[in-house]
Amino acid sequence: MMLGTVQSGFGYWNVYAWIVFFALAAVLVFYFRSAGRSDYKVGTYQDEIFYGGNPVPKDGDEIAVPASSAYWGFTEALSPFYKLLLSLHTGIASDYVGYLVVTTALISALIVL
Amino acid sequence: MLKMDLAKTLEILPRSIWVFLCNSGSCNGCDIEVVATLTPRYDIERFGMKLVGSPRHADALLVTGPVTKYMTERLKHIYDQMPDPKVVIVVGNCGCSGDVFYKSYSLDGPVDQVLPVDVYVHGCPPRPEAIIEGVAKAVLKLEALRESLDSKEADVADVAQS
Ligand code: SF4
């Protein structure tokens, strides 16, 4: 039942109780909001986003830091390894078949010896 | 029963001054003392003083340091972002007078060359007690400013009605 009371074992949930609570919270929020001062000067610095005292950049992308920056040290330290891997990935099928043949030969040799 | 005198409570509430701290080139000594006033030994938060992260939430601008050229525009910008009424508290000899750096080529300060200063707290760095005294003076000044602002508002409302 959607509108009935749901007993969870820890308490209950009831849609009417929830609506009453939401309405009370909304009344409180609007009361506090209306009690605030509204005499700041619109259109001046008082109305501007705080950006450490600097002018706010027009384009957010100018200051965006990509998530990959978090791994910069990691990828930089392992760059010789990554370069080797990239050079191996040529995209030419005969190269990959060659790697398969060489690896199979090496493993077979290890098993036989 | 807990009895609350609403009028009295509302009268006390604005005395909880919210402060934005701006380091305009200080050596950090003064900033450490400001933070020390918040530690349990002095615990100025019990009187309602609180450091806030945005000047748009602040009643007072607390400036440390002698205002280096790089910081001048930023300090003015931060001051302009604060809502009225507002006060400026300068903490430390550097901000009050420039101290040993007063002849430096890289300064636009002391602070009163850049902003209207209301309270000076001397010392290098000042003790937390001195900072607390400065804040108490700032609260008094703020109350007077708030009253004058309110009366101005009332005047404007009267003129608008008549
Ligand atoms: S007054 Fe002293 S402690 Fe404060 S910023 Fe200047 S040199 Fe540092």
Side-chain angles (χ1 to χ4, degrees):
Chain A
M1 272 286 288
M2 278 297 285
L3 295 179
T5 301
V6 180
Q7 298 286 347
S8 69
F10 296 99
Y12 71 95
W13 190 88
N14 179 295
V15 70
Y16 301 111
W18 189 86
I19 288 170
V20 169
F21 177 79
F22 185 85
L24 280 177
V27 167
L28 276 178
V29 165
F30 281 111
Y31 169 70
F32 286 131
R33 204 183 137 76
S34 67
R37 295 187 80 107
S38 55
D39 54 3
Y40 63 89
K41 297 182 191 96
V42 179
T44 63
Y45 281 145
Q46 289 188 355
D47 197 21
E48 194 193 67
I49 297 168
F50 173 55
Y51 190 62
N54 296 301
V56 182
K58 295 267 177 307
D59 182 10
D61 282 348
E62 269 176 42
I63 50 152
V65 181
S68 59
S69 299
Y71 302 106
W72 181 85
F74 189 73
T75 47
E76 188 68 13
L78 293 176
S79 60
F81 175 62
Y82 287 129
K83 269 192 199 128
L84 178 71
L85 286 187
L86 283 175
S87 65
L88 288 177
H89 285 74
T90 54
I92 303 168
S94 54
D95 284 352
Y96 298 127
V97 175
Y99 300 147
L100 181 69
V101 171
V102 171
T103 316
T104 315
L106 281 175
I107 291 173
S108 311
L110 279 175
I111 291 170
V112 173
L113 292 177
Chain B
M1 271 290 284
L2 181 69
K3 261 175 76 181
M4 253 180 56
D5 185 341
L6 190 65
K8 205 172 170 195
T9 311
L10 289 179
E11 201 179 289
I12 290 167
L13 266 183
R15 290 189 186 154
S16 62
I17 189 170
W18 284 20
V19 178
F20 182 78
L21 170 64
C22 179
N23 177 336
S24 71
S26 115
C27 73
N28 243 13
C30 287
D31 306 82
I32 291 170
E33 293 303 314
V34 171
V35 174
T37 57
L38 302 172
T39 55
R41 181 169 179 115
Y42 298 99
D43 196 14
I44 199 176
E45 277 193 12
R46 76 202 138 117
F47 299 126
M49 175 189 148
K50 198 165 112 78
L51 286 186
V52 288
S54 164
R56 292 185 57 187
H57 301 163
D59 302 299
L61 176 61
L62 197 157
V63 189
T64 60
V67 192
T68 54
K69 285 196 187 302
Y70 180 81
M71 284 303 291
T72 313
E73 282 311 309
R74 283 154 184 89
L75 194 60
K76 283 185 192 159
H77 195 134
I78 288 171
Y79 179 76
D80 288 342
Q81 285 207 279
M82 291 169 59
D84 298 307
K86 52 192 165 189
V87 290
V88 177
I89 310 168
V90 178
V91 167
N93 284 349
C94 278
C96 293
S97 65
D99 206 19
V100 291
F101 311 111
Y102 79 105
K103 273 185 177 171
S104 169
Y105 65 92
S106 61
L107 295 189
D108 277 340
V111 181
D112 52 14
Q113 304 283 327
V114 181
L115 297 179
V117 176
D118 298 284
V119 181
Y120 295 88
V121 181
H122 288 275
C124 178
R127 286 186 62 82
E129 290 91 337
I131 298 175
I132 292 171
E133 196 198 353
V135 169
K137 283 181 182 158
V139 171
L140 292 179
K141 187 120 196 203
L142 206 56
E143 272 177 8
L145 278 175
R146 192 173 287 128
E147 266 166 30
S148 72
L149 207 70
D150 285 346
S151 63
K152 249 189 234 162
E153 254 173 36
D155 289 348
V156 171
D158 284 348
V159 170
Q161 271 179 359
S162 59

